[in-house]
Amino acid sequence: MNYPRIMIAATGSGTGKTTITCGILAALKDKGLNPCSFKCGPDYIDPMFHRNVLGLEAGNLDTFFTEDDVTTSLFLDEYAGDVAVIEGVMGLYDGLGGTQIKGSSYDLARVLKAPIVLVINGRGMGRSILAEIKGFLSYDKSNLIKGVVLNKVSKGFAKTLSNLIETELGIKVVGYVENNQAVSVDSRHLGLVMPNEIDTINEKLSVVRDIVKEGIDLNCILDIARSAEDIEAACNQSDIVNANHMKLAVARDEAFCFYYKENLRMLERAGVELEYFSPIHDKVLPKDINGILLGGGYPENYLNELANNGSIKTAIKKAIDRGMPVLAECGGFMYLLEYIANKEEKMYQMVGAISGSSSFKGKLVRFGYVTIEKDDTFLIKGHEFHYYDSDNNGGDLSVTKASTGSTVKGMHFNGRLCVGYPHLYYPSSPKFVENFLEAMKDYGKCKISI
């Protein structure tokens, strides 16, 4: 079947593909269409923009996490509406370690047979831009690049460059975006700031939408998307069938907000009821739960609030001490420690279910894809990106960096508990999820009382 789809990729990070992708999605909505979106790679922030601000379905797809057939199956399963817009990551060909194709935007486009529109930063460039585009085209072995967007160029110069590009390279220039500081988005140590932290974000995105509508040919974008080859799933997505009803308490608030749509969907399809709670605002855990999931996020920005909510900390510690299964990733893991120190080294008391503390290191501690094993047996794949580190990261599992092959001992794991810094991608290992659900089932329905 034909699923209209297009990838918005770029020559490198900081080129403007996120802003342009959001603008295209908003403009398509304004045109009366119903787009959905996907993000290439292990990025939580961009899909949050798409979901929370634009109100769109948004997922994460990654060819390191899943094999081609599973990646395709996930895409088709989540596809909704009239057209899918897939946002690339880094430079088009930048995959594992920045040197491999695996895990790159291009590799995902290859798997999904998705035509690519390449965003080029034309600021400070003239005819040299042809050489840059020609290099990217020559490296496109599957002939997927179907168009170019010129970013940060004036209307007049964009017309001149477009004529040169189309005449000499035979590639369509689908539009341009002028340099506009009014729509710039601040940076933070973990990518873009979250949508609810940006003043007047809706106004900014309205400006982006209007700029895109003025400079980019949306009909051409749609024509390219509709020209995609037919695609079908080579296999059924590896869903887990579990007839027994179970309830999982999922932390979700300002501090804990990093969740892959694919992870939550996989749990729900296994018959798990997800009940959300807030470690900041709630005093008790949800009733009759079989397990707890603490995702990543920004607990370091809410240390006062988390430290002062003693009731929920006590409830979580009591549940874990009783043997309740728990998954905790990065920020969620930090929260389970005894203390988190802020940048001024002031200590804030956390749950204390795991001994130790976490503190800011002033630099990126670990970054990149990892494969996680127990006694040489594959468990699951994940990704790390954090500036905080703990004095007790655990030593129960082998965590191997995909780009270098280097392995360290890390994470706390005992069959019912798996916590540590890596963010996990559940579709990479249905068996891992099955084992956690078995632990939840064995625990039985647990009524927590304080």
Coordinates of all heavy atoms in Angstrom, one line a residue, residues 147-224:
G147 N 14.2 16.6 -3.0 CA 14.0 18.0 -2.9 C 14.9 18.6 -1.9 O 15.6 18.0 -1.1
V148 N 15.0 20.0 -2.0 CA 15.9 20.8 -1.2 C 15.2 22.0 -0.6 O 14.3 22.6 -1.4 CB 17.2 21.2 -1.9 CG1 18.0 22.2 -1.1 CG2 18.0 20.0 -2.3
V149 N 15.4 22.3 0.6 CA 14.9 23.6 1.2 C 16.1 24.4 1.6 O 17.0 23.9 2.2 CB 14.0 23.3 2.5 CG1 13.8 24.6 3.2 CG2 12.7 22.7 2.1
L150 N 16.1 25.6 1.1 CA 17.2 26.6 1.4 C 16.8 27.3 2.7 O 15.8 28.1 2.7 CB 17.5 27.5 0.3 CG 17.8 26.8 -1.1 CD1 17.9 27.9 -2.2 CD2 19.1 26.0 -1.0
N151 N 17.6 27.2 3.7 CA 17.3 27.9 5.0 C 18.2 29.1 5.2 O 19.4 29.0 4.8 CB 17.5 26.9 6.2 CG 16.9 27.5 7.5 OD1 16.0 28.3 7.4 ND2 17.4 27.0 8.6
K152 N 17.7 30.1 5.8 CA 18.5 31.3 6.1 C 19.0 32.0 4.9 O 20.2 32.4 4.9 CB 19.6 31.0 7.1 CG 19.0 30.4 8.5 CD 20.1 30.2 9.5 CE 19.6 29.6 10.8 NZ 20.6 29.4 11.8
V153 N 18.1 32.1 3.9 CA 18.5 32.9 2.7 C 17.4 33.9 2.4 O 16.2 33.6 2.7 CB 18.8 32.0 1.5 CG1 20.0 31.1 1.7 CG2 17.6 31.2 1.2
S154 N 17.7 35.0 1.8 CA 16.7 35.9 1.4 C 15.8 35.4 0.2 O 16.3 34.5 -0.5 CB 17.3 37.3 1.0 OG 18.0 37.1 -0.2
K155 N 14.6 36.0 0.1 CA 13.7 35.6 -1.0 C 14.4 35.7 -2.4 O 14.3 34.8 -3.2 CB 12.4 36.4 -0.9 CG 11.4 36.0 -2.0 CD 10.1 36.8 -1.8 CE 9.1 36.4 -2.9 NZ 7.8 37.2 -2.7
G156 N 15.0 36.9 -2.6 CA 15.6 37.1 -3.9 C 16.8 36.2 -4.2 O 16.9 35.7 -5.3
F157 N 17.7 36.0 -3.2 CA 18.8 35.1 -3.5 C 18.4 33.7 -3.6 O 19.0 32.9 -4.3 CB 19.9 35.3 -2.4 CG 21.2 34.8 -2.7 CD1 21.8 35.1 -4.0 CD2 22.0 34.1 -1.8 CE1 23.0 34.6 -4.3 CE2 23.2 33.6 -2.2 CZ 23.8 33.9 -3.4
A158 N 17.3 33.3 -2.8 CA 16.8 31.9 -2.9 C 16.4 31.6 -4.4 O 16.6 30.5 -4.9 CB 15.7 31.8 -2.0
K159 N 15.7 32.6 -5.0 CA 15.3 32.4 -6.4 C 16.5 32.2 -7.3 O 16.5 31.3 -8.2 CB 14.5 33.6 -6.9 CG 13.9 33.5 -8.3 CD 13.0 34.6 -8.7 CE 12.5 34.4 -10.1 NZ 11.6 35.6 -10.5
T160 N 17.6 33.0 -7.1 CA 18.8 32.9 -7.9 C 19.4 31.5 -7.7 O 19.8 30.8 -8.7 CB 19.8 34.0 -7.6 OG1 19.2 35.3 -7.8 CG2 21.1 33.9 -8.4
L161 N 19.6 31.1 -6.5 CA 20.2 29.8 -6.1 C 19.3 28.7 -6.7 O 19.9 27.7 -7.2 CB 20.4 29.7 -4.6 CG 21.5 30.5 -4.0 CD1 21.5 30.3 -2.5 CD2 22.9 30.1 -4.6
S162 N 18.0 28.8 -6.6 CA 17.1 27.7 -7.0 C 17.3 27.5 -8.5 O 17.4 26.3 -8.9 CB 15.7 28.1 -6.7 OG 15.5 28.2 -5.3
N163 N 17.4 28.5 -9.3 CA 17.6 28.3 -10.7 C 18.9 27.6 -11.0 O 19.0 26.7 -11.9 CB 17.6 29.7 -11.4 CG 16.3 30.4 -11.4 OD1 15.3 29.7 -11.4 ND2 16.2 31.7 -11.5
L164 N 20.0 28.0 -10.3 CA 21.3 27.3 -10.5 C 21.2 25.8 -10.1 O 21.7 24.9 -10.8 CB 22.4 28.0 -9.6 CG 22.9 29.4 -10.1 CD1 23.8 30.0 -9.1 CD2 23.6 29.2 -11.4
I165 N 20.6 25.6 -8.9 CA 20.5 24.2 -8.4 C 19.7 23.3 -9.3 O 20.1 22.2 -9.6 CB 19.9 24.2 -6.9 CG1 20.9 24.9 -6.0 CG2 19.6 22.8 -6.5 CD1 20.3 25.3 -4.6
E166 N 18.6 23.8 -9.7 CA 17.7 23.0 -10.5 C 18.3 22.7 -11.9 O 18.1 21.7 -12.5 CB 16.3 23.6 -10.6 CG 15.6 23.6 -9.3 CD 14.2 24.2 -9.3 OE1 13.8 24.8 -10.4 OE2 13.5 24.2 -8.3
T167 N 18.9 23.8 -12.5 CA 19.5 23.6 -13.8 C 20.8 22.7 -13.8 O 20.9 21.9 -14.7 CB 19.9 25.0 -14.3 OG1 18.8 25.9 -14.4 CG2 20.6 24.9 -15.7
E168 N 21.6 22.9 -12.8 CA 22.9 22.2 -12.9 C 22.8 20.8 -12.2 O 23.6 19.9 -12.5 CB 24.0 23.0 -12.2 CG 24.3 24.3 -13.0 CD 25.6 25.0 -12.6 OE1 26.4 24.3 -12.0 OE2 25.7 26.2 -12.8
L169 N 21.9 20.7 -11.2 CA 21.9 19.4 -10.4 C 20.6 18.6 -10.7 O 20.6 17.4 -10.3 CB 22.0 19.7 -8.9 CG 23.3 20.5 -8.5 CD1 23.3 20.7 -7.0 CD2 24.5 19.7 -8.9
G170 N 19.6 19.2 -11.2 CA 18.4 18.5 -11.6 C 17.6 18.1 -10.3 O 16.8 17.1 -10.4
I171 N 17.8 18.8 -9.2 CA 17.0 18.5 -8.0 C 16.1 19.6 -7.7 O 16.5 20.8 -7.9 CB 18.0 18.2 -6.8 CG1 17.2 17.8 -5.6 CG2 18.8 19.5 -6.5 CD1 16.8 16.3 -5.6
K172 N 14.9 19.4 -7.3 CA 13.9 20.4 -7.1 C 14.1 21.1 -5.8 O 14.4 20.6 -4.8 CB 12.5 19.7 -7.0 CG 11.4 20.7 -6.7 CD 11.1 21.6 -7.8 CE 9.9 22.5 -7.6 NZ 9.6 23.5 -8.6
V173 N 14.1 22.5 -5.9 CA 14.2 23.3 -4.7 C 12.7 23.6 -4.3 O 12.0 24.3 -5.0 CB 14.9 24.6 -4.9 CG1 14.9 25.5 -3.7 CG2 16.4 24.3 -5.3
V174 N 12.3 23.0 -3.2 CA 10.9 23.1 -2.8 C 10.5 24.4 -2.1 O 9.4 24.7 -1.8 CB 10.4 21.9 -2.0 CG1 10.6 20.6 -2.8 CG2 11.1 21.8 -0.7
G175 N 11.6 25.2 -1.7 CA 11.3 26.4 -1.1 C 12.5 26.9 -0.3 O 13.6 26.4 -0.3
Y176 N 12.2 28.0 0.4 CA 13.3 28.7 1.2 C 12.7 29.2 2.5 O 11.4 29.3 2.7 CB 13.9 29.8 0.5 CG 12.9 31.0 0.3 CD1 13.0 32.1 1.2 CD2 11.9 31.0 -0.6 CE1 12.0 33.1 1.2 CE2 11.0 32.1 -0.7 CZ 11.1 33.1 0.2 OH 10.2 34.1 0.1
V177 N 13.5 29.4 3.5 CA 13.1 30.0 4.8 C 14.1 31.2 5.1 O 15.3 30.9 5.1 CB 13.1 29.0 5.9 CG1 12.8 29.7 7.2 CG2 12.0 28.0 5.7
E178 N 13.6 32.4 5.3 CA 14.4 33.5 5.6 C 14.9 33.4 7.0 O 14.3 32.8 7.9 CB 13.7 34.8 5.3 CG 13.4 35.1 3.9 CD 13.0 36.5 3.6 OE1 13.8 37.4 3.6 OE2 11.8 36.7 3.5
N179 N 16.1 34.0 7.3 CA 16.6 34.0 8.7 C 15.7 34.9 9.5 O 15.4 36.0 9.2 CB 18.0 34.6 8.6 CG 18.7 34.4 10.0 OD1 18.5 33.4 10.6 ND2 19.6 35.3 10.3
N180 N 15.2 34.3 10.6 CA 14.3 35.1 11.5 C 14.6 34.7 12.9 O 14.2 33.6 13.4 CB 12.8 34.7 11.1 CG 11.8 35.6 11.8 OD1 12.0 36.1 12.9 ND2 10.7 35.9 11.1
Q181 N 15.2 35.6 13.6 CA 15.5 35.4 15.0 C 14.3 35.3 15.9 O 14.4 34.8 17.1 CB 16.5 36.5 15.5 CG 17.8 36.5 14.9 CD 18.6 35.2 15.1 OE1 18.6 34.6 16.1 NE2 19.2 34.7 14.0
A182 N 13.2 35.8 15.5 CA 12.0 35.7 16.3 C 11.5 34.3 16.6 O 10.7 34.1 17.5 CB 10.8 36.5 15.6
V183 N 12.0 33.4 15.8 CA 11.5 32.0 16.0 C 12.6 31.1 16.5 O 12.5 29.9 16.5 CB 10.9 31.4 14.7 CG1 9.7 32.2 14.3 CG2 12.0 31.4 13.6
S184 N 13.7 31.7 17.0 CA 14.8 30.9 17.5 C 14.4 30.2 18.8 O 13.6 30.8 19.6 CB 16.1 31.7 17.8 OG 15.8 32.7 18.7
V185 N 14.9 29.0 19.1 CA 14.6 28.3 20.3 C 15.8 28.1 21.1 O 16.9 27.7 20.6 CB 14.0 26.9 20.0 CG1 13.6 26.2 21.2 CG2 12.7 27.1 19.1
D186 N 15.7 28.4 22.4 CA 16.9 28.3 23.3 C 17.4 26.8 23.4 O 16.6 25.9 23.3 CB 16.6 28.8 24.7 CG 16.2 30.3 24.7 OD1 16.8 31.0 23.8 OD2 15.4 30.7 25.5
S187 N 18.6 26.7 23.7 CA 19.2 25.3 23.9 C 19.4 25.0 25.4 O 19.5 25.9 26.2 CB 20.6 25.3 23.2 OG 20.4 25.4 21.8
R188 N 19.5 23.8 25.7 CA 19.8 23.3 27.0 C 20.6 22.1 26.9 O 20.8 21.5 25.8 CB 18.5 23.1 27.8 CG 18.9 22.7 29.3 CD 17.8 23.0 30.3 NE 16.6 22.3 30.1 CZ 15.5 22.5 30.8 NH1 15.5 23.5 31.7 NH2 14.4 21.8 30.6
H189 N 21.1 21.6 28.1 CA 22.0 20.4 28.0 C 21.4 19.2 27.4 O 22.1 18.3 26.9 CB 22.6 20.1 29.4 CG 21.6 19.7 30.4 ND1 21.0 20.6 31.3 CD2 21.0 18.5 30.6 CE1 20.2 19.9 32.1 NE2 20.1 18.7 31.6
L190 N 20.1 19.1 27.4 CA 19.5 17.9 26.8 C 18.6 18.3 25.6 O 17.4 18.2 25.6 CB 18.7 17.1 27.8 CG 18.2 15.7 27.4 CD1 19.4 14.9 27.0 CD2 17.5 15.1 28.6
G191 N 19.2 18.9 24.6 CA 18.5 19.3 23.4 C 17.7 20.5 23.6 O 18.1 21.5 24.3
L192 N 16.5 20.6 23.0 CA 15.7 21.8 23.1 C 14.9 21.8 24.4 O 14.7 20.8 25.0 CB 14.7 21.8 22.0 CG 15.2 21.8 20.6 CD1 14.1 21.6 19.6 CD2 16.0 23.0 20.3
V193 N 14.6 23.0 24.9 CA 13.8 23.1 26.1 C 12.4 22.6 25.8 O 12.0 22.5 24.6 CB 13.7 24.5 26.6 CG1 15.0 25.0 27.1 CG2 13.1 25.4 25.5
M194 N 11.7 22.1 26.8 CA 10.4 21.5 26.6 C 9.4 22.6 26.2 O 9.5 23.8 26.6 CB 9.9 20.8 27.8 CG 10.8 19.6 28.1 SD 10.1 18.6 29.5 CE 10.5 19.7 30.8
P195 N 8.4 22.2 25.4 CA 7.4 23.2 24.9 C 6.8 24.1 26.0 O 6.6 25.3 25.8 CB 6.3 22.3 24.2 CG 7.1 21.1 23.8 CD 8.1 20.9 24.9
N196 N 6.4 23.5 27.2 CA 5.7 24.2 28.2 C 6.7 25.2 28.9 O 6.3 25.9 29.8 CB 5.0 23.3 29.2 CG 6.0 22.4 30.0 OD1 7.2 22.3 29.6 ND2 5.6 21.8 31.0
E197 N 8.0 25.2 28.6 CA 8.9 26.1 29.2 C 9.2 27.3 28.3 O 10.0 28.1 28.7 CB 10.2 25.3 29.5 CG 10.0 24.2 30.5 CD 11.3 23.5 30.8 OE1 11.8 22.7 30.0 OE2 11.9 23.8 31.9
I198 N 8.7 27.3 27.2 CA 9.0 28.4 26.2 C 7.8 29.4 26.2 O 6.7 29.0 25.9 CB 9.2 27.9 24.8 CG1 10.4 26.9 24.9 CG2 9.5 29.0 23.8 CD1 10.7 26.2 23.5
D199 N 8.1 30.6 26.5 CA 7.1 31.7 26.5 C 6.6 31.9 25.1 O 7.4 31.9 24.1 CB 7.7 33.0 27.0 CG 8.0 32.9 28.5 OD1 7.4 32.1 29.2 OD2 8.9 33.7 29.0
T200 N 5.3 32.0 25.0 CA 4.6 32.3 23.7 C 5.0 31.3 22.6 O 5.2 31.7 21.5 CB 5.0 33.7 23.2 OG1 6.3 33.9 22.9 CG2 4.6 34.8 24.3
I201 N 5.2 30.0 23.0 CA 5.6 29.0 22.0 C 4.5 28.9 20.8 O 4.9 28.8 19.7 CB 5.8 27.6 22.6 CG1 6.2 26.6 21.6 CG2 4.5 27.1 23.3 CD1 7.6 26.9 21.0
N202 N 3.3 29.0 21.2 CA 2.3 29.0 20.1 C 2.4 30.1 19.1 O 2.2 30.0 17.9 CB 0.9 28.9 20.7 CG 0.6 27.6 21.4 OD1 0.9 26.6 20.9 ND2 -0.1 27.7 22.5
E203 N 2.7 31.3 19.7 CA 2.9 32.5 18.8 C 4.1 32.3 17.9 O 4.1 32.6 16.7 CB 3.1 33.7 19.6 CG 1.8 34.2 20.3 CD 1.5 33.5 21.6 OE1 2.2 32.5 22.0 OE2 0.6 33.9 22.3
K204 N 5.2 31.7 18.5 CA 6.4 31.5 17.7 C 6.1 30.5 16.6 O 6.6 30.7 15.4 CB 7.5 31.0 18.6 CG 8.1 32.0 19.5 CD 9.4 31.5 20.2 CE 10.1 32.6 21.0 NZ 11.3 32.2 21.6
L205 N 5.4 29.4 16.9 CA 5.1 28.4 15.9 C 4.1 28.9 14.9 O 4.2 28.5 13.7 CB 4.6 27.1 16.6 CG 5.6 26.3 17.3 CD1 4.9 25.1 17.9 CD2 6.7 25.8 16.3
S206 N 3.3 29.9 15.2 CA 2.4 30.5 14.2 C 3.3 31.3 13.2 O 3.0 31.3 12.0 CB 1.4 31.5 14.9 OG 0.5 30.7 15.7
V207 N 4.3 32.0 13.8 CA 5.2 32.7 12.9 C 6.0 31.7 11.9 O 6.1 31.9 10.7 CB 6.3 33.5 13.7 CG1 7.3 34.1 12.8 CG2 5.6 34.6 14.5
V208 N 6.4 30.6 12.5 CA 7.1 29.6 11.7 C 6.2 29.1 10.6 O 6.6 28.9 9.4 CB 7.6 28.4 12.6 CG1 8.2 27.3 11.7 CG2 8.7 28.9 13.6
R209 N 5.0 28.8 11.0 CA 4.0 28.2 10.0 C 3.8 29.2 8.9 O 3.8 28.8 7.7 CB 2.6 28.0 10.8 CG 1.5 27.6 9.8 CD 0.2 27.8 10.5 NE 0.0 29.3 10.7 CZ -0.9 29.8 11.6 NH1 -1.6 29.0 12.4 NH2 -1.0 31.1 11.6
D210 N 3.6 30.5 9.2 CA 3.4 31.5 8.2 C 4.6 31.7 7.3 O 4.5 31.9 6.1 CB 3.0 32.8 8.8 CG 1.7 32.8 9.5 OD1 0.9 31.9 9.2 OD2 1.4 33.7 10.3
I211 N 5.8 31.6 7.9 CA 7.1 31.7 7.1 C 7.2 30.5 6.1 O 7.5 30.6 4.9 CB 8.3 31.7 8.0 CG1 8.4 33.1 8.7 CG2 9.6 31.5 7.2 CD1 9.4 33.1 9.8
V212 N 6.8 29.3 6.6 CA 6.9 28.1 5.8 C 5.8 28.2 4.7 O 6.1 27.9 3.5 CB 6.6 26.8 6.6 CG1 6.3 25.6 5.7 CG2 7.8 26.5 7.5
K213 N 4.6 28.7 5.0 CA 3.6 28.8 4.0 C 4.0 29.8 2.9 O 3.6 29.6 1.7 CB 2.3 29.2 4.6 CG 1.6 28.1 5.5 CD 0.4 28.7 6.3 CE -0.7 29.1 5.4 NZ -1.9 29.6 6.2
E214 N 4.7 30.8 3.3 CA 5.1 31.8 2.3 C 6.3 31.3 1.4 O 6.3 31.6 0.2 CB 5.6 33.1 3.0 CG 6.1 34.2 2.0 CD 6.5 35.5 2.8 OE1 6.1 35.6 3.9 OE2 7.1 36.3 2.1
G215 N 7.2 30.6 2.0 CA 8.4 30.2 1.3 C 8.5 28.8 0.8 O 9.4 28.6 -0.1
I216 N 7.8 27.9 1.3 CA 7.9 26.5 0.9 C 6.6 26.1 0.2 O 5.5 26.4 0.6 CB 8.1 25.6 2.1 CG1 9.5 25.9 2.7 CG2 8.1 24.1 1.7 CD1 9.8 25.1 3.9
D217 N 6.8 25.4 -0.9 CA 5.6 24.9 -1.7 C 5.1 23.6 -1.1 O 5.6 22.5 -1.3 CB 6.1 24.6 -3.2 CG 5.0 24.3 -4.1 OD1 3.9 23.9 -3.7 OD2 5.3 24.3 -5.4
L218 N 4.0 23.8 -0.4 CA 3.4 22.6 0.3 C 2.9 21.6 -0.6 O 2.9 20.4 -0.4 CB 2.3 23.1 1.3 CG 2.8 23.9 2.5 CD1 1.6 24.3 3.3 CD2 3.7 23.0 3.4
N219 N 2.4 22.1 -1.8 CA 1.9 21.1 -2.7 C 3.0 20.2 -3.3 O 2.8 19.0 -3.5 CB 1.2 21.8 -3.9 CG -0.2 22.4 -3.5 OD1 -0.9 21.9 -2.6 ND2 -0.5 23.6 -4.0
C220 N 4.2 20.8 -3.4 CA 5.3 20.1 -3.9 C 5.7 19.1 -2.8 O 6.1 17.9 -3.1 CB 6.5 21.0 -4.2 SG 7.9 20.2 -4.9
I221 N 5.7 19.5 -1.5 CA 6.0 18.6 -0.4 C 5.0 17.4 -0.5 O 5.4 16.2 -0.3 CB 5.9 19.3 0.9 CG1 7.0 20.4 1.1 CG2 5.8 18.3 2.1 CD1 8.3 19.8 1.4
L222 N 3.8 17.7 -0.7 CA 2.8 16.6 -0.7 C 3.0 15.7 -1.9 O 2.8 14.5 -1.8 CB 1.4 17.2 -0.7 CG 0.9 17.8 0.6 CD1 -0.4 18.6 0.4 CD2 0.7 16.7 1.7
D223 N 3.3 16.3 -3.0 CA 3.6 15.5 -4.2 C 4.7 14.5 -4.0 O 4.7 13.3 -4.4 CB 3.9 16.4 -5.4 CG 2.6 17.1 -6.0 OD1 1.5 16.7 -5.6 OD2 2.8 18.1 -6.7
I224 N 5.8 15.0 -3.4 CA 6.9 14.1 -3.1 C 6.5 13.0 -2.1 O 6.9 11.9 -2.3 CB 8.1 15.0 -2.5 CG1 8.6 15.9 -3.6 CG2 9.2 14.1 -1.9 CD1 9.7 16.9 -3.0

